[in-house]
Amino acid sequence: MAFDYDLIVLGAGPAGEKGAVQAAYFGKRVAIVECAKEPGGAAVHTGTLPSKTLRETALFLSGYRQRDLYGVDVRLNRELAVPKLLSRKDAVRDLEVARIRWNLERHGVEMLRGVARFIDAHTVEIVQLGGPPRTLTSEFFLVATGSKPHQPADIPFDDEDVDDSDTVLLIDRLPRTMTIVGGGVIGCEYATMFAALQVKVTLIEGRGRLLPFLDLEMGERLRAAMNGLGIEIILNAKTKKVARLEGCGIRCELESGPVIDCDKFLFAAGRSGRTEDLRLDRVGAKIDKRGYVAVDDDYRTEVPSIYAAGDVIGFPALASTSMEQARVAVCHAFGFTYKRQVSHVLPYGVYTIPEVSCVGLSEEACTEQKIPYAVGRAFYRDNARGKIVGDKDGVIKLIFHAETRELLGCHCIGDRASELVHIGQALLMGKGTVDTFIEMVFNYPTLAEAFKYAAYDALARLAKTPAKDPPKVPVP
Ligand SMILES: Cc1cc2nc3c(=O)[nH]c(=O)nc-3n(C[C@H](O)[C@H](O)[C@H](O)COP(=O)(O)OP(=O)(O)OC[C@H]3O[C@@H](n4cnc5c(N)ncnc54)[C@H](O)[C@@H]3O)c2cc1C
Ligand SMILES: NC(=O)c1ccc[n+]([C@@H]2O[C@H](COP(=O)([O-])OP(=O)(O)OC[C@H]3O[C@@H](n4cnc5c(N)ncnc54)[C@H](O)[C@@H]3O)[C@@H](O)[C@H]2O)c1
């Protein structure tokens, strides 16, 4: 049967863009359908880039980076802050949208506007605003429709001062006080950004710990830094009622009793798959109760012609992994052999203030898996570049196998942590050891040089555990 296209991609976020371009690069006829006015998805319009732009602007405007540097007191101009924040994020968005359009165009990917839904395993209908629906056929489909903020029914999102992570960036003034529910990545990132902008933030988390995927020590260092920014963190807490109270702003009552009043309330406690328009269940693909599409290791749904990648399949729901999943899915569909799987060595970057990033095993994971290990640390305060940039609290922590000396985990907190972590990632991928760091020459002065001193620190501990025949190390 002759199809209109070889591949139709639904959704033009990071997964959709990279999947479409991957197929087009190898000569396939590709169309991408996007319901929003511009491509980019959550990464460009509501999530990754706007929040990271806000972070940079917050660091700049608050003078946070210059703290203790020149003895200059940089005070925040609250009136100036919001217009500056908004104009910067809009400028970054426009540049990124232009880049995506150019990338799709130069690869010959046809861009179609509308809401896509399945008619059968090889046919979609595209519903266009004000126009008649259009039916198109394709050999394969890639569902990359992303996710949306989870909105429980008992939170009054219709109140202008109650936000989710999509609407919080539409602020027109800096609030004095803010309550954030959800101590996940979104909650922690926004808590530190607003706190740096001198907003008094209360962060409420249902579990006993923030960001439990972090190495415990790094999580505690982050918590201390957040306390230092004036953030009040309430753990093991659930909201009982959230409502506007005239004269008090938004009132949030906790199940355990306390009542918190604030100017702005941000609910940032998870997301769900954006599958409601797709009619995937009608063609036989499985969707769970949070709206996530079920896929196998090759990102194929129960329907052989339909693949799914990115946030729409759930964890880890990162722009970084979404792009890779889409490339792998497309390679599998067309039998391109150069990319077969998403790497198991995944870095995590948390853009709090300070930034935290990790790859590989934590100390707790080593203990749980009964892997003998030794830790080495280096502190920015002992590093020349750390002194220059004025970051006294940054730390690089490396975890090595006590017998094989292989690197097992790399954990960074402080300036440029999410960049530096890739040094650890490269060594993990190449099965580097503590000796690799000892042999390496690093540029001076750099924060990267701290890796060498973290390795020296570990070496002192490893010397106490003489090397035996190397056992098989579980790859993190
Ligand atoms: C506040 C915040 C900060 C974040 N920070 C980071 C970060 O620092 N690093 C990181 O790696 N990740 C981060 N993320 C996660 C990242 O944004 C997502 O993982 C990424 O955007 C997922 O890409 P995607 O292509 O799967 O989906 P999306 O980016 O959500 O794109 C999906 C696209 O599909 C379109 N669409 C939906 N339904 C249809 C339909 N029926 N028909 C046609 N089009 C449709 C949507 O309009 C959208 O454009 C952050 C997320 C948030 C919310
Ligand atoms: N830097 C990054 O990579 C980055 C940044 C932002 C978002 N993201 C991605 O976006 C996705 C969503 O992030 P998120 O932070 O919304 O979700 P999340 O699932 O990571 O965290 C939600 C947190 O809210 C808590 N929670 C849930 N319901 C609660 C309630 N009623 N009261 C109190 N606490 C409650 C949970 O225990 C959890 O800790 C994640 O997959 C994340 O990876 C990534």
Side-chain angles (χ1 to χ4, degrees):
M1 176 183 172
F3 298 110
D4 297 325
Y5 295 94
D6 300 317
L7 176 71
I8 296 182
V9 177
L10 314 185
E17 180 204 343
K18 302 303 175 188
V21 164
Q22 178 80 90
Y25 180 82
F26 284 108
K28 299 295 173 186
R29 296 167 305 143
V30 185
I32 190 164
V33 188
E34 171 56 55
C35 62
K37 205 167 129 221
E38 299 287 4
V44 172
H45 298 279
T46 51
T48 317
L49 297 190
S51 65
K52 267 82 254 184
T53 311
L54 173 68
R55 180 181 187 274
E56 275 311 307
T57 317
L59 287 174
F60 179 74
L61 290 175
S62 65
Y64 181 87
R65 282 224 173 94
Q66 289 75 34
R67 68 201 185 287
D68 294 342
L69 205 54
Y70 306 112
V72 178
D73 182 13
V74 187
R75 277 183 205 280
L76 179 73
N77 179 340
R78 293 181 65 89
E79 301 310 314
L80 197 69
V82 170
K84 279 249 185 283
L85 292 176
L86 298 182
S87 66
R88 183 87 191 103
K89 109 179 140 48
D90 292 350
V92 172
R93 178 203 58 205
D94 293 348
L95 288 170
E96 191 58 8
V97 165
R99 184 206 57 77
I100 297 166
R101 284 192 171 281
W102 171 77
N103 194 27
L104 293 170
E105 265 163 32
R106 80 190 169 109
H107 283 92
V109 175
E110 196 175 331
M111 282 179 266
L112 306 171
R113 173 99 194 268
V115 178
R117 58 187 187 208
F118 282 94
I119 303 291
D120 63 40
H122 289 284
T123 314
V124 283
E125 185 179 61
I126 298 162
V127 182
Q128 297 154 304
L129 252 185
R134 201 173 156 192
T135 302
L136 294 172
T137 60
S138 180
E139 184 182 5
F140 291 108
F141 293 94
L142 176 68
V143 176
T145 50
S147 63
K148 57 186 182 187
H150 174 51
Q151 287 203 341
D154 57 348
I155 306 287
F157 288 101
D158 52 350
D159 190 297
E160 60 174 355
D161 288 319
V162 175
D163 284 302
D164 61 24
S165 58
D166 279 0
T167 57
V168 69
L169 291 170
L170 303 174
I171 49 169
D172 54 6
R173 70 195 147 84
L174 268 185
R176 298 265 155 200
T177 54
M178 182 178 229
T179 300
I180 301 179
V181 170
V185 196
I186 295 183
C188 289
E189 287 186 353
Y190 277 127
T192 56
M193 289 176 216
F194 281 105
L197 290 167
Q198 295 175 13
V199 177
K200 174 77 191 99
V201 176
T202 306
L203 180 63
I204 297 165
E205 165 57 41
R207 294 184 281 198
R209 192 179 151 184
L210 300 176
L211 307 173
F213 63 88
L214 290 181
D215 179 270
L216 184 61
E217 174 190 338
M218 297 317 236
E220 284 307 306
R221 287 183 186 279
L222 175 63
R223 189 151 81 114
M226 290 171 79
N227 286 332
L229 278 171
I231 300 168
E232 186 185 351
I233 300 168
I234 307 178
L235 298 175
N236 297 309
K238 287 250 155 66
T239 52
K240 190 166 132 199
K241 191 175 172 200
V242 178
R244 174 167 290 281
L245 204 71
E246 279 324 313
C248 301
I250 305 298
R251 171 159 289 186
C252 168
E253 289 176 39
L254 299 185
E255 279 178 1
S256 52
V259 167
I260 306 151
D261 292 335
C262 59
D263 297 341
K264 266 270 175 214
F265 179 90
L266 168 61
F267 190 84
R271 298 176 69 86
S272 41
R274 232 178 121 178
T275 40
E276 66 279 6
D277 296 325
L278 294 174
R279 298 187 178 170
L280 266 170
D281 46 342
R282 293 201 196 171
V283 290
K286 282 199 182 132
I287 296 170
D288 72 13
K289 50 181 193 299
R290 203 69 189 248
Y292 294 123
V293 183
V295 290
D296 63 15
D297 290 347
D298 300 314
Y299 303 98
R300 200 202 284 242
T301 68
E302 304 275 313
V303 187
S305 58
I306 304 177
Y307 287 73
D311 276 20
V312 79
I313 64 167
F315 182 83
L318 300 169
S320 53
T321 48
S322 299
M323 295 186 267
E324 278 300 278
Q325 289 168 352
R327 291 179 179 119
V328 169
V330 165
C331 286
H332 187 268
F334 293 110
F336 308 147
T337 51
Y338 92 102
K339 194 180 264 292
R340 291 171 196 266
Q341 59 170 10
V342 175
S343 169
H344 293 297
V345 183
L346 290 182
Y348 290 91
V350 183
Y351 298 84
T352 38
I353 301 171
E355 206 164 294
V356 190
S357 198
C358 63
V359 62
L361 297 182
S362 63
E363 268 199 78
E364 297 73 55
C366 290
T367 308
E368 224 167 80
Q369 296 174 34
K370 300 194 174 29
I371 300 171
Y373 68 90
V375 170
R377 291 180 190 79
F379 298 88
Y380 284 22
R381 63 170 180 263
D382 300 326
N383 170 283
R385 189 65 177 262
K387 290 190 184 84
I388 293 168
V389 299
D391 186 339
K392 290 186 290 195
D393 303 319
V395 183
I396 287 177
K397 172 177 175 177
L398 302 176
I399 302 176
F400 296 97
H401 195 291
E403 291 157 2
T404 66
R405 301 158 80 87
E406 268 183 35
L407 181 68
L408 298 172
C410 167
H411 307 268
C412 312
I413 183 167
D415 206 30
R416 311 287 160 201
S418 62
E419 304 280 356
L420 290 167
V421 81
H422 295 108
I423 297 175
Q425 184 189 14
L427 259 81
L428 280 169
M429 298 284 289
K431 301 207 174 304
T433 65
V434 67
D435 308 294
T436 319
F437 286 113
I438 300 297
E439 281 168 27
M440 281 170 74
V441 176
F442 288 88
N443 279 329
Y444 179 89
T446 55
L447 293 172
E449 198 212 7
F451 276 84
K452 195 185 219 15
Y453 291 94
Y456 273 126
D457 188 45
L459 208 54
R461 288 187 196 96
L462 284 166
K464 291 177 196 147
T465 9
K468 291 186 198 142
D469 287 336
K472 289 265 171 285
V473 190
V475 180

